[in-house]
Amino acid sequence: MSTPREPSFRESVDLMFGRAASLMGLPPGLEEKIRVCNATYTVRFGVRLRGEIRTFTGYRSVHSEHFEPAKGGIRYASNVNQDEVEALAALMTYKCALVEAPFGGSKGGLCIDPRDYEDHELEQITRRFAYELIKRDMINPAQNVPAPDMGTGEREMAIIADQYARMHTTDINAKACVTGKPPHAGGIQGRVEATGRGVQYALKEFFRHPDDVASARLSGTLDGKRVIVQGLGNVGYHAAKFLAEEDGSIITHIIERDGVLSNPKGMNVDEVRAWIGEHGGVKGCPEGTHHEDGFAALEEDCDILVPAAIEAVINLGNADRIKAPLIIEAANGPITAGANDILRDKGTVIIPDLYANAGGVTVSYFEWVKNLSHIRFGRMQRRQEEARHQLIVNELERLDEHLGDAWTMTPNFKEKYLRGADELELVRSGLDDTMRTAYQSMREVWRSRNDVDDLRTAGFMVAIDRVASSYRAKGL
Ligand code: NAD
């Protein structure tokens, strides 16, 4: 018997969209308008490096413009291609709608393995790629705002912002042309950790609903839960670190490009990350035992599986062997459409990518708003808030004196209560609120309709409904 063909990433996203749309009764024309990708721009450009001209291929895809700017990261990886960029752009549309970030969906990519280049070479390449996109308004604070994705980070975003400012010297909103910049270059506190932090908040919200936890054949809280993480990059590292340090989860397996590190007692995520930084992989790290076959470790026994690296790692080839009762898609598209069906049929609960990794775009939204308002969050209120708290503390101190031993203030209460929130606390609070609200909107559909049997379909339905409403409002 021949193995069924695995759909491409874009086909997978379309299949998941189709399943949700079929339950919604949208006019076929509107359904198609929402599904299709509006435009994809391919650029080839040359950069003189190491005495020769090297040609690079890059993409920027705009899936939807029902809100502008369109938003989505730029990925650096050697296997970037048009299908992948379009799939990721489509996911951005649904993700932004689900977390109510007022953006269309976009994504970019450059076919390059950043590990093959020195920092100054990457700067040259990034500047040239940014130049090609900026001159066509495919990077622009009002039209298209990139962010980091796999293989890119704060440094590339700072270079893009600088390139835009050089080409638009009088644009007062120039900094808002890209998010994920370092805080000293117009970024916002908490953006680097945001996607991993969002994964943690998503899991915390999931565990606030005992019915949902029971659907995954689990109970209790995140404390003591055994977690397998694939990819200890930006997203995987922060998610694993926060789950272990703040919620008591046990990171039993860390899967990287060179295999898997495992330890049933749990590993110190910072130690493993430092080891990878020094040695280029997990092999030899004393935190656990190393095995070459990283992919096989996805099938190990655990409570929560966190794929946080690349797409299609759970596919028709291994889905039936995945033991995790709960999977949270920290990466984009780690489960193919076919694998999704197999997992759903055997009762695995999947917290889908369009929700699970939306923390990044949520905090990017905050950064964009900060750039446009030209003021850091909390700057006007912080001291005023502290002064008002001081009034209450003064009254409590008076009471304390009056009542003697009958009543005393809890130690540390005064320090904690008096301190007004800084930017990082406000960002985390906004992110937490966003992740809770989005989960509840998804869950409401999942739990209230008999024909909706998973969170992904529910998430797509919430998102599609919002995109459809905004198209209708435009008269389409
Ligand atoms: P990253 O480049 O920082 O990290 C990726 C990690 O995965 C690296 O440590 C890499 O070595 C590892 N990896 C790559 N191929 C692997 C393989 N075959 N097996 C095991 N490990 C492998 O990237 P990131 O920003 O953390 O992005 C990871 C995923 O999260 C991507 O799907 C991305 O689209 C998604 N995402 C990222 C953000 C963000 O803010 N960075 C936001 C939303 C979604």
Side-chain angles (χ1 to χ4, degrees), residues 13-59:
V13 174
D14 281 355
L15 281 168
M16 291 165 182
F17 171 93
R19 179 176 303 134
S22 69
L23 302 171
M24 297 179 67
L26 294 173
L30 181 57
E31 185 181 317
E32 174 160 5
K33 174 69 205 84
I34 296 172
R35 183 182 55 76
V36 297
C37 178
N38 287 4
T40 300
Y41 171 66
T42 307
V43 59
R44 294 185 187 86
F45 58 89
V47 181
R48 178 169 286 281
L49 295 170
R50 304 175 200 176
E52 57 174 29
I53 294 178
R54 297 202 183 180
T55 302
F56 296 89
T57 304
Y59 304 91

Side-chain angles (χ1 to χ4, degrees), residues 75 88 95 107 148-152 191 195 230-236 255-257 295 308-311 330-332 357 360:
R75 172 176 287 198
L88 291 165
K95 197 177 297 186
K107 202 81 182 191
D149 193 73
M150 208 160 78
T152 59
R191 175 59 184 89
T195 310
Q230 183 190 39
L232 209 67
N234 177 294
V235 179
I255 307 168
E256 259 295 330
R257 294 177 205 255
F295 274 101
I310 51 171
E311 50 263 22
N332 282 307
N357 65 38

